Structures are given as C-alpha cells and as structure tokens.
Amino acid sequence: MKALVAEQHIVKTLVDNLGYPSLYPPQQMAIERGILDGKNILVTTPTASGKTLIAMMAIVKAIERGLKAVYLTPLRALASEKYDDLKILERLDLGSGRKIKVAVATGDYDSSGKELASADVVVLTNEKMDTLFRHNAEWLGDVGLFVSDEVHLLGDRERGPTLEMMLTKIRRHYTQAQIVALSATVANSDEIAGWLACELVESNWRPTKLVEGVYEYRTVKMSDGTKFQVDSSDASSAVDIAIDSLDGGGQALIFAETRKRAASLAAKAAEGVYRRLDKATKEQAARASSEILDRGDDSELTKTLAQLVAKGVAFHHAGLGSSSREVVEDSFKKGVIRLLTATPTLAAGVNLPARRVVIASILRYDSDYGGSMPISILEYKQLCGRAGRPKYDTAGEAIIVSESGVNAEELYDHYVLGSPEPIRSQLSSDRAVRFHLLATIATVPGMKKPGIHELFASTLFAQQYKEATVSFKVDSALEYLEQEELVKLKNDRYIATEFGRRTSLLYIDPATAVAFRDALERTERIDGGNHTLGFLHLISSSPDFYPKLALRKKDYEELSLLIQGRTSELLYQISEYDCSRSFWALCEWIEETGDKVLSDSMGVEPGDMFRIKELSEWLAYSLYEVAKLLRRVDLLPELYNLRIRIRYGVKEELLPLVALEGIGRVRARALYSAGLTDVNKIAKAPQAKLAAIPKIGPAVAEKLKDQLKKKRLGQ
C-alpha cells in the first residue's frame, strides 16, 4: 500500500474490506489530485476501473469531518445497486464504537425526506435530490460531499436538464461542499471539469483489457490486429459471435435494437447455449426458471422468458416485470445465464459485465427523427464498457455486426477508432427551462430578474450557448409562468403563487398543472355519476405522462365502443384518435383486467404497465391536490378513490377491502366473491372460513383477524 494511503487509517481499512491488494492507478491519481483533502474531482475512467472506491474514500473522509455524504445516480436500479455497494461502509469502525449508517430514497416526490436526517450516507436519484431542494430539506445543510455518478448523462434529453440544474444549485448554494463527479466517457472532460470547478482525473486504464472489432462475412477484425473466424449457423450472426465466446466459462451479452429483436435472438441462441451447460448449471437454470414463474405474472412474455432461462439464456428489457428482471440479473451475475440479450437501456443500468459484448445493430429508433438512426459513438462506447469481467477475464471483447449495406471498414473507422461526441447541455428545451425556473422561484422567493438570469448564466447551457439564447429562453418561460398565474411580479421581485408553489412541490411540469387546473375548472358535478374516463384521459394525455403507447389498427374500433358507451364520464369531447393505448390500458387495469390480457392481447408488457400505473397514481394525486387548491370539494372523494383504484387495479366495490394491510386486487376479489364484501363481514367471519377462501389461507386469515382486532381496540 502506498505510503500516502497508509497514513489514512480508515481509507486503508476500507480498501482492505473491499479486497483490493493495492489501489488501481485512477484511485491513486484521485488521491494525488486531492480527493482526501476535500477538492472537487471529475473522474472519467472506464467501467470497472474503481470509481466506486474513489467515491467511498471521499465519503469516509467527509464523515470523519462530521459531515454527511450524498451519492446521486440517474436511475432507481442504479440507486439500489449503489446502496448495496455502500452498505459495506457500515462495517467500518470510526472509533468510540461509532458506525456509519447508509440510507436510500428514490420515490415520494412530495416529501422533505426527514427520515434521511439520521443517515451518514444517503443514496438518491437525481430527481429525488431535486425534490429535496424544492422542499428545503433542513439536513442538506449538513452535507459535506455530493457524489454525482454517470455525469455524462448531462447530455441526455430526458435526464440531463435535472442533473444540470441540480449540479448548478449545489455549486451555488453549497459552496463548502465537495463535489465528486464520476463518468466512464466524457469527450469534453476539460470543459465539464471547468464548469464544475473540478480537478480532472482522466485515465484509459481498466482492469481488463478492452479489444474492439467488427464482424463481416464470418470474420472478425479486432483492434489489436488479430482476426478470427466464427462458425456460421442458421441462427444469426450476432448469436454465432456470442456463442463463440462461451467456452471456458465465458458469458456473452448481445445488445439488440428493439425488445422484439432481443427476445428473438435469445430464442435462436437457446439450444446452442444449452448444449454447453454442465449438469449443475442446468439444475440452477431450471430453478431460476421456476422462480420467474412463481414470482411473476401469467403473461406469455414471462412464460417465454422462463423457458429460455431454463436453457441458460435470457432477454432483458423495460417490458419485463421487476421480479423477472431481478431473477435474470441475479442469474447472470452468478453465471447461470450464459448469454443475455438486451436493449441498450441495460448499458445505463445495473452492472452486468460479460466476456464478449455483441452489438447486433448500430441502428436505433429515434422518436424525434421518426425513424431509425445510427447510435452515437458515445453510446457505442457505453455499450463496450460492459465487456470484460474483472474477476474472471483478462480481456473483454466488443464486436459490432456489420449489417447489409453497411461497410465494415466504415464501421471500424467510425466507432472503434472514433472519439465520443462532446457532452452538450439539454437544458435548452422550453419544458426544461419552465420546469426548473418555477422551482427556482418557488424555492427562493423574491428573486429579481437579474438574479434569475445570473443563476441560469452559471449553467452548462449558458457556457455552451450564446447569452442571447439563454436570456430569450428564460424570459419566454417567465412570461408563460406569469401568464398562467404560477408566478407573479411584485416590487420587481418574482414570487410563486400558491398554485405555483404546489406545482413545484408536486414535481410536475407547469404545463401539466395548467392543463389540470383548466380542466377541473370546466368540470361539472354529476349527481350519482362519475368522471372516471375523463380523468384518466386527462392524466394520460398530460405532458408528464409516460409511456404513451400508440394505438394499433385493431384497437380503434374497440376503444371507440368504450368511449361511446361512457360519454357521460368525459370532461370534454374526445374520440379514439385522441387516445393512446396507455389510456386504454389504464381503463382496463382499474376494471381488474389481468396481466395476461394486458400483455398478450393489448400489447402492454408488465414493465410498461408498472410505469403506467405508478406514474398515473402520482398524477392522480397531483390532480387531487390541484382540485384542493381550487376548492372543488365535490370532486375530492372521486379523485381520491380513483388514485386508490389505480394503485391496486380494482373496481370501486373493492376499495374497502384493499384498505386492509396485505390485501391486494387478487385477495380482495377472492374475499368479495366469498360474500365478505366489507370489513364488518370479515370481522364477523370465523377465521376458519377466511382460511378456506382461495388466495387467503391460514396465515393471511390470522393476520387479518389480528389487524381488525387491533383496529377495534383502537391500537
């Protein structure tokens, strides 16, 4: 161990706990640049080069100084993974029996996070951090270190603006706090380091050598000068290349351009992979397959996945349910799944390295362009970063499949020899500016226009664009917020209205709040009726709603019949052409339609349905809060019930039952079908009768009885 590190007892203990025999070169560089002295650092090094330990060293030093540390990630899956990584800090002894406490928070945007105040290390998504700024969480004043992971996502259209504004606010309002920014690939690292006022730690070192190449006509040309042949089969070139790397305990990862292609490639690889599994691995694969079926839904997608996992193969994409994804990820990490096909979302998510990464296509669908476009060099390099398993391989391989009409030499020159594109700010969109401008005014009331412009002048957006462009965007957003009465100008100072403050805290686009307000103001009370269809359409057509799945040709007639039969529920006139498949899925979900029908018949896969219902529940809550502001007391019970129906996916008659702990849509329907239609009937029913009901059983029956007894006693 280097002498410099040996003097740092806690850091040395940390390194020993992680099993490092010595520091990696980038870690040593970070120490030399002053990370243990509280200096701001931007680390741009390849995947698996030890960035997490660099962050841990800074975290331990911050805690030694009596300060808290915040670790920021762009995704919930990454937050969960980093939380698991950082839990090792709880083993350390800081002296006098003092232990480190690590916590994680990713959801509930309408909260100040008081429960996090006692933690030493808090893992958050960037969006959760942004909400804590908006709620002026008191404990943020105790933070001495902000770690920002995957900082190259500043250039991401969706996530970039929030990350940029968050880092801008940290630099302005927490000037004494240390910033440690981490990324695998940043072409304009000098510019980003300058903007963040960071020392730059830049290195191409990685524990496993990366060799890149291009495949064409059964031959792979690699960047180390070697060439090799790949046996061809009837499956596909991508599958042939992947299977070629499995001998000797290797694993392969194929990135496909669509979910459908990922599933197709996995199916084509199944028999070839299964023949290479030993008896023990086949048994483990069978158990993993059974677990997917036991924990998952009954859709064909899940059944197909389970069949493939039994062969040592799997696909991974955003359409999978969370339990299926967990089993796939865990099985791949254990080596049970030898070949995994995935959409590129995996590259930005959990850490699943493979000996060989195969890029089946360099084309991706671009919604803005309206067609397929070649991926960027930056995205390609991110995919390559998954190649090479540090504990098992001395080298990792990343291979592009040359498709018909695309010259292999051109691919090699552009991607293998090319440099990633520089990161460009995405804060230039109108939506991003109005969203973060309202938050700024709501959080720091009384700002004058020069102060607002000064804040935005310190963004990366201002550093990369002309001053006139930034000023125009900010002034246009201010005009919109004033016009819609989200902010008002008083004595040359901007303050948020009650409507504006609530919109900011709800963490919704001001345009969504305006649409909600305008619709609610026009909504008439219906005696004995409801506005269910109208509210669901309002939610699903709002700017914040995602994903908005397009209707298929065969969907229009059925959806037209649905609307025609329930016109009394509408807030305004709509036709099937104004609707998305997501809206239709929501309508079906709250009528207790099962996952199988939603996925197999409607084409809304479990992962998509999870995001639809999760976001819809939040937007239903936001709609309820806007109705409260408008004093629409007549609508509040209906909106409250709608939110609960979205959460559980139940008809209104089951609402009293899902209010019971441990009772979801399936058990609630079972109780209702057995004649136990309300809490009183359940309380009076013999426990044996409860236990005999399908989906209930003795354990749940006992818990129900205990629960109702405590309620009766007022506990």
Side-chain angles (χ1 to χ4, degrees), residues 246-314:
L246 299 188
D247 293 332
Q251 286 175 283
L253 180 57
I254 301 177
F255 283 111
E257 63 273 33
T258 64
R259 297 180 188 180
K260 187 175 181 180
R261 181 94 193 277
S264 172
L265 290 172
K268 290 176 179 178
E271 291 307 320
V273 173
Y274 190 65
R275 288 196 300 268
R276 288 166 171 79
L277 302 184
D278 58 31
K279 183 181 178 182
T281 306
K282 286 178 179 178
E283 290 173 353
Q284 289 175 298
R287 286 195 292 271
S289 175
S290 297
E291 187 178 358
I292 287 174
L293 293 174
D294 292 343
R295 294 177 56 189
D297 50 78
D298 59 351
S299 67
E300 286 302 316
L301 179 79
T302 302
K303 291 176 183 176
T304 300
L305 176 65
Q307 290 169 0
L308 291 172
V309 168
K311 303 282 188 180
V313 177

Side-chain angles (χ1 to χ4, degrees), residues 433-570:
V433 173
R434 70 172 176 254
F435 181 72
H436 292 289
L437 177 58
L438 175 60
T440 298
I441 295 171
T443 309
V444 189
M447 291 186 77
K448 293 185 176 182
K449 185 176 281 191
I452 292 171
H453 279 283
E454 183 184 346
L455 172 68
F456 278 84
S458 60
T459 61
L460 182 63
F461 174 37
Q463 186 167 303
Q464 294 183 332
Y465 288 78
K466 293 180 180 178
E467 183 181 345
T469 301
V470 180
S471 295
F472 174 77
K473 290 281 187 179
V474 171
D475 288 344
S476 297
L478 270 174
E479 184 179 343
Y480 171 83
L481 295 176
E482 272 194 277
Q483 181 181 321
E484 296 296 348
E485 300 179 348
L486 290 146
V487 304
K488 59 184 178 182
L489 186 62
K490 189 174 183 180
N491 299 326
D492 292 330
R493 295 181 182 274
Y494 286 94
I495 58 172
T497 62
E498 186 181 14
F499 177 47
R501 284 194 301 274
R502 197 70 193 102
T503 297
S504 175
L505 292 177
L506 287 169
Y507 209 67
I508 56 176
D509 187 334
T512 293
V514 168
F516 284 1
R517 178 197 63 193
D518 294 349
L520 287 169
E521 286 178 340
R522 297 194 305 267
T523 300
E524 297 180 2
R525 181 171 182 168
I526 305 176
D527 290 328
N530 63 68
H531 308 84
T532 302
L533 212 64
F535 286 147
L536 290 181
H537 186 267
L538 179 63
I539 287 168
S540 63
S541 58
S542 70
D544 277 303
F545 185 84
Y546 178 85
K548 293 177 180 175
L549 304 175
L551 289 172
R552 304 160 300 181
K553 286 183 181 179
K554 62 182 180 180
D555 298 333
Y556 286 95
E557 184 177 353
E558 195 165 346
L559 192 54
S560 174
L561 292 173
L562 171 69
I563 293 170
Q564 289 173 19
R566 298 169 63 178
T567 53
S568 64
E569 298 179 21
L570 299 177

Side-chain angles (χ1 to χ4, degrees), residues 238-239 241-254 273 276-277 281 284 312-314 327-341 351-358 386-393 395-399:
V239 169
I241 300 164
I243 288 180
D244 179 73
S245 69
L246 299 188
D247 293 332
Q251 286 175 283
L253 180 57
I254 301 177
V273 173
R276 288 166 171 79
L277 302 184
T281 306
Q284 289 175 298
V313 177
V327 176
V328 167
E329 290 164 9
D330 186 53
S331 298
F332 190 77
K333 287 176 181 177
K334 292 177 178 176
V336 176
I337 290 174
R338 301 287 298 283
L339 190 154
L340 179 64
T341 64
N351 184 27
L352 295 175
R355 177 178 294 174
R356 181 175 290 175
V357 167
V358 182
R386 296 296 179 207
R389 303 168 300 171
K391 294 180 180 178
Y392 306 103
D393 304 321
E397 299 169 333
I399 300 171

